[in-house]
Amino acid sequence: MFIIAILSFIPVVVWFFMQPLGVRFFDLNATTTSLGQIFGLVGMVLFSINLILAGRFKFLDKYFKGLDKVYINHSKLGAISFSLLLFHPLFLVIKFITISIKEAALFFVPFINAPITWGIISLGLMIVLMSLTFYIKLKYHVWKISHKAMVIVFIFAILHTFFISSDVSRNNFLRYYILSLAIIGLLVSFNKAFLGRLLVKKLKYKVKNVNQLNESILEIEMEPLNKKMIFNPGQFAFFEFINGKVSSESHPFSISSSNVESNLKITIKNLGDYTNELINLKINDSVLVDGPYGNFSYKNIQNKNQIWIAGGIGITPFLSMAKSLERDYIIDLYYSVKENKEAVYLNDLQELSQKIPNFRFNLWAASLNGYINAGVVANLSKDLESKDIFLCGPPAFMEGLKNQFLSLGVDIKKIHYENFNFNL
Amino acid sequence: MKNLSTISLFIFGVVVTAVLVAGLVFYQDTKNSQIIAGSQTGSSAQNTINQITSGGKTIVLSNKEIATHNKQSDCWLIISNKVYDITSYFGSHPGGSGVMAATCGTDATNAYMTKDPYATSSNGSNSGHSSSAHNLLNNYYIGDLNQTIGQQKVTQTNSSITQTSIPTPTTVSPVTNVIKNVTTTKVIAPSGNLTLDMKEIATHNKQTDCWMLISGKVYNITSFFGSHPGGNSTMITSCGKDATAAYMTKDPSATSSGTRSAHSSNAVSLLNNYYIGDFNQIIGQQKVTQTNTVVAPTTRGGNEYDD
């Protein structure tokens, strides 16, 4: 976040020194025009950075401590950039309103002046795409395609930025600064949108087995065709299945097998259209795997005294972690389900808890005991202050427990969770 | 963050809709008046310039000053704290010249609002002026009440069709001899847009029509001939060309900057007055009236779609 702030601050500083402030903020017209310029400038910088954030880079995964955080920042930054760009013409139009309302109206009419037209097209399309993102629940893959159209918005925005007479056209540093950010952003998004298969190294796997664990949970086992993925238990990857009946975009799933097994397993709950299609997978279907990503692993925390709490399908990273657990850890795993029959991998987990001395496993069925809460965990595990807490489950489940632990006085730094509800 | 976007989007929608609706409704009204305004503002501007320059370097638009322009042949008035020189509008007023003459040199706000020259309040029995009249009035604007105005950068408006005077604060470096040279104004590109590229600049290569490119900016210095301390001949050779090196070195045949001393900062600020636009910029002719509000000292003329 710090780097982003610096990057967006640089052009503002340059802009400030281009002309004396007395000129920039001479009167209402000059002030609003100046604000309009700054908003446009910063909005554009953030837009460029946001395309880079969307690039699913491993270095971002490390820098932000998890790809989920990258995407949380991406959506925040997107909203800020969008708002800045919305106000950009509003500030600029004030100058015209003081002349006549007609001139002001003409300012919003496209096809009078080419650079302005590009700006209008760009902002108009951006409004549509952002509305789709914020207000209309599209199916994931439809939304994903719609969001890729942001590149078009960006191209028009670049044209607008460079061909309009402005400080960017007058100051070489500003010009090349914005241009290089824009080009990087553009390359990243082109790479992702069109060349993704060529430039991102994806590992080749094939489907070895598809197990229906219960009525709504599917386990897919995959065998590496050449190199296998090296990962930390708890991490996730993007999977792209090559099967005519499964849509071809890649989706993130956390890995449920351990890192010592040769085959890769993911365990998927049927939650929507895509996961519904996966039932059609056949043995020997090809799979492209991009990963690993994520920072959610017991190995990343120094404290070896940990509490793991899983809600439903959120058990998958913990399963991987438990299978590869090193002996010197003290772990209490809580597996919260609505009803006992919903729980998967029960045998594996019970076996592990018998085998590993310091690994305690508690199944918690809401139908019998009510929903799990921080108080219950504190009673059963004791000595909460000395432990780090890992949460994985539905967003509301994690949010609720996190707040309960916070109110019990647990340090927020000791609560670890990964938001799997992000759109990628 | 979603809320931030929602609020922004809402404000954006409201403002744009309001402006567009208001603007397009007005559009019908203003179409006709714009034509009239266009044919008259030229003389209006000239008139204003003459008066301002005859008054010395700067004028404070005080009540006292305005009161001296109280004749039909020299008529300034105040409407809502703005000062207008409506001298050239006599003869075109639908309500006759008499009602206007009565208000010359005074605060005509109430008279304007009520169409009653002797009104003492703005809530008169008569209705006020139309929106097209408001629009028309803008063409006669000199400055705000008690504002100090100075000599003009009339040259900037070269790229416009109508010529209107622009009040400028005295913070502008004193440019005493600019105005007298600006007696003729050209109408560039009466229709469509014009790209300030080398090809276009090259066509303005005479003393009577001289543009040059200096450091990526295009200047029309035609009216500066006669005022150049270094003489006319040194400038003529650079007409229609990239004069950056010549300007930097004061050597018309220079091919690189260096050797001789550069122009003073006073000269640099003087040059601003002849600015048309950036190199390769497309300047249009639709922004005509906008130049009214360009008040900042280092104004750029031409197309003010700034961003």
Side-chain angles (χ1 to χ4, degrees):
Chain A
M1 265 340 246
F2 182 66
I3 290 182
I4 294 172
I6 297 280
L7 282 175
S8 41
F9 201 60
I10 289 172
V12 178
V13 172
V14 173
W15 179 90
F16 257 100
F17 287 105
M18 273 178 70
Q19 274 191 44
L21 283 189
V23 177
R24 292 283 193 206
F25 299 99
F26 173 73
D27 61 3
L28 177 73
N29 281 340
T31 306
T32 53
T33 304
S34 296
L35 283 175
Q37 290 176 338
I38 290 210
F39 275 49
L41 213 52
V42 177
M44 195 60 196
V45 171
L46 293 183
F47 197 170
S48 309
I49 294 172
N50 229 14
L51 289 179
I52 300 170
L53 288 191
R56 202 200 285 167
F57 288 109
K58 293 231 165 91
F59 77 88
L60 290 171
D61 184 44
K62 291 204 177 72
Y63 178 72
F64 283 92
K65 298 225 155 54
L67 203 60
D68 59 319
K69 271 92 182 168
V70 177
Y71 282 95
I72 288 167
N73 280 305
H74 170 83
S75 70
K76 272 187 198 163
L77 221 54
I80 295 171
S81 166
F82 180 50
S83 306
L84 290 174
L85 294 174
L86 282 175
F87 277 106
H88 162 67
L90 295 192
F91 278 120
L92 293 178
V93 82
I94 291 174
K95 180 168 76 179
F96 297 102
I97 291 177
T98 56
I99 299 160
S100 84
I101 197 81
K102 187 198 130 206
E103 287 296 336
L106 287 178
F107 180 67
F108 291 131
V109 176
F111 309 114
I112 293 178
N113 168 303
I116 298 235
T117 307
W118 294 327
I120 293 170
I121 293 173
S122 178
L123 193 58
L125 188 57
M126 191 180 198
I127 291 170
V128 172
L129 296 179
M130 291 302 275
S131 303
L132 289 180
T133 303
F134 282 138
Y135 311 114
I136 298 167
K137 276 260 168 279
L138 286 177
K139 288 178 180 171
Y140 176 76
H141 67 276
V142 178
W143 170 82
K144 199 168 167 178
I145 293 166
S146 82
H147 212 59
K148 278 180 181 170
M150 275 294 176
V151 179
I152 301 169
V153 172
F154 191 63
I155 291 171
F156 276 107
I158 293 175
L159 289 175
H160 171 78
T161 311
F162 285 95
F163 287 97
I164 205 145
S165 79
S166 74
D167 292 314
V168 175
S169 63
R170 275 180 221 117
N171 180 304
N172 270 338
F173 175 78
L174 218 50
R175 193 184 183 90
Y176 292 119
Y177 182 81
I178 303 272
L179 191 64
S180 41
L181 268 182
I183 286 175
I184 295 170
L186 209 56
L187 284 178
V188 166
S189 41
F190 269 109
N191 172 17
K192 197 181 169 219
F194 305 109
L195 308 171
R197 260 171 237 208
L198 297 178
L199 297 183
V200 176
K201 263 197 183 168
K202 291 183 178 173
L203 296 166
K204 288 199 178 81
Y205 278 72
K206 67 171 188 181
V207 174
K208 182 83 190 302
N209 215 340
V210 180
N211 284 331
Q212 186 90 44
L213 296 183
N214 67 24
E215 56 193 21
S216 66
I217 295 176
L218 208 61
E219 182 194 72
I220 302 169
E221 186 179 351
M222 290 157 281
E223 191 185 336
L225 287 178
N226 30 51
K227 235 175 77 185
K228 74 171 224 171
M229 186 169 66
I230 311 292
F231 64 96
N232 265 338
Q235 285 195 294
F236 66 94
F238 290 84
F239 294 85
E240 187 179 333
F241 296 99
I242 316 295
N243 174 308
K245 289 176 181 162
V246 180
S247 52
S248 63
E249 75 271 1
S250 63
H251 287 253
F253 294 109
S254 56
I255 300 157
S256 53
S257 55
S258 82
N259 55 350
V260 289
E261 292 169 59
S262 62
N263 286 351
L264 199 59
K265 277 185 201 163
I266 54 176
T267 310
I268 297 160
K269 185 168 184 181
N270 187 348
L271 291 169
D273 297 303
Y274 179 76
T275 41
N276 215 0
E277 287 168 10
L278 290 175
I279 195 87
N280 297 313
L281 281 177
K282 297 270 178 305
I283 290 169
N284 288 337
D285 279 350
S286 301
V287 191
L288 294 174
V289 183
D290 174 22
Y293 291 100
N295 196 47
F296 188 79
S297 178
Y298 73 105
K299 287 186 168 175
N300 291 341
I301 306 300
Q302 286 201 323
N303 183 6
K304 296 190 169 173
N305 202 345
Q306 300 175 357
I307 296 173
W308 300 351
I309 307 173
I313 195 64
I315 192 68
T316 50
F318 295 123
L319 187 68
S320 172
M321 280 151 68
K323 281 186 205 162
S324 58
L325 193 63
E326 285 154 26
R327 299 286 145 154
D328 50 347
Y329 282 82
I330 303 164
I331 306 292
D332 289 348
L333 170 61
Y334 296 85
Y335 184 10
S336 165
V337 286
K338 287 203 187 73
E339 292 170 89
N340 277 337
K341 65 169 187 180
E342 210 183 85
V344 287
Y345 299 119
L346 221 54
N347 290 340
D348 303 65
L349 289 164
Q350 268 154 1
E351 228 170 78
L352 283 167
S353 74
Q354 277 156 19
K355 223 164 62 184
I356 311 171
N358 285 324
F359 178 66
R360 285 203 294 164
F361 170 64
N362 302 288
L363 181 66
W364 190 271
S367 60
L368 302 175
N369 311 314
Y371 286 103
I372 195 164
N373 59 58
V376 171
V377 174
N379 278 337
L380 290 171
S381 287
K382 310 272 183 321
D383 203 15
L384 221 49
E385 305 80 55
S386 66
K387 296 169 193 282
D388 273 64
I389 299 167
F390 282 72
L391 303 172
C392 186
F397 171 87
M398 292 195 290
E399 193 61 24
L401 279 171
K402 184 186 90 179
N403 290 334
Q404 290 168 18
F405 280 117
L406 289 178
S407 65
L408 286 181
V410 176
D411 185 353
I412 185 132
K413 285 187 197 130
K414 293 190 144 192
I415 305 177
H416 313 282
Y417 55 97
E418 198 151 58
N419 197 336
F420 275 89
N421 197 30
F422 50 101
N423 291 325
L424 295 138
Chain B
M1 283 304 161
K2 183 183 167 183
N3 292 341
L4 175 71
S5 296
T6 308
I7 294 165
S8 309
L9 198 56
F10 178 75
I11 297 173
F12 180 84
V14 170
V15 173
V16 172
T17 314
V19 168
L20 277 177
V21 168
L24 295 177
V25 170
F26 266 91
Y27 187 65
Q28 294 307 320
D29 288 348
T30 47
K31 245 197 245 164
N32 299 324
S33 61
Q34 286 292 318
I35 296 161
I36 303 165
S39 65
Q40 288 176 349
T41 42
S43 57
S44 154
Q46 225 47 58
N47 211 325
T48 310
I49 293 156
N50 292 340
Q51 285 166 7
I52 291 171
T53 45
S54 68
K57 278 188 185 176
T58 60
I59 294 171
V60 179
L61 294 177
S62 61
N63 282 315
K64 203 175 139 196
E65 171 64 30
I66 291 151
T68 63
H69 306 272
N70 55 1
K71 309 180 284 291
Q72 186 163 340
S73 57
D74 176 15
C75 177
W76 291 13
L77 41 82
I78 306 163
I79 296 170
S80 302
N81 292 322
K82 291 185 174 182
V83 182
Y84 300 88
D85 174 2
I86 58 152
T87 314
S88 60
Y89 188 59
F90 278 95
S92 309
H93 190 224
S97 2
V99 288
M100 290 206 309
T103 62
C104 287
T106 67
D107 186 334
T109 310
N110 294 335
Y112 180 77
M113 294 299 176
T114 59
K115 288 186 176 172
D116 175 0
Y118 304 107
T120 49
S121 86
S122 60
N123 310 318
S125 50
N126 283 323
S127 57
H129 279 85
S130 69
S131 57
S132 66
H134 286 300
N135 233 332
L136 202 52
L137 188 63
N138 274 331
N139 295 315
Y140 302 94
Y141 173 70
I142 313 173
D144 289 345
L145 187 58
N146 293 326
Q147 187 186 344
T148 307
I149 60 170
Q151 276 92 358
Q152 253 346 293
K153 40 192 58 162
V154 185
T155 41
Q156 257 81 324
T157 45
N158 267 346
S159 58
S160 331
I161 297 170
T162 56
Q163 286 293 329
T164 47
S165 77
I166 311 148
T168 312
T170 48
T171 47
V172 187
S173 63
V175 185
T176 45
N177 50 7
V178 175
I179 295 300
K180 68 169 193 256
N181 296 310
V182 186
T183 45
T184 56
T185 49
K186 252 185 237 92
V187 176
I188 296 165
S191 62
N193 292 333
L194 181 63
T195 309
L196 295 178
D197 54 16
M198 221 52 234
K199 203 174 129 200
E200 175 61 32
I201 295 166
T203 62
H204 305 272
N205 54 0
K206 308 181 283 288
Q207 182 168 345
T208 52
D209 177 17
C210 176
W211 291 12
M212 31 177 103
L213 176 65
I214 298 172
S215 303
K217 293 182 177 188
V218 181
Y219 300 90
N220 175 358
I221 58 145
T222 313
S223 58
F224 189 60
F225 278 96
S227 309
H228 188 220
N232 290 348
S233 58
T234 51
M235 293 204 304
I236 292 169
T237 47
S238 297
C239 288
K241 294 178 188 150
D242 184 339
T244 311
Y247 180 77
M248 294 299 173
T249 59
K250 288 189 179 171
D251 174 2
S253 58
T255 48
S256 70
S257 42
T259 62
R260 291 166 78 173
S261 62
H263 278 85
S264 69
S265 61
N266 191 26
V268 177
S269 63
L270 199 54
L271 189 64
N272 276 332
N273 294 315
Y274 301 95
Y275 174 75
I276 312 175
D278 286 351
F279 186 52
N280 284 333
Q281 186 188 339
I282 298 163
I283 59 170
Q285 42 102 6
Q286 75 268 61
K287 300 276 79 237
V288 185
T289 46
Q290 260 81 330
T291 41
N292 267 342
T293 53
V294 180
V295 202
T298 51
T299 330
R300 317 160 203 119
N303 195 357
E304 269 295 319
Y305 273 136
D306 245 22
D307 182 55

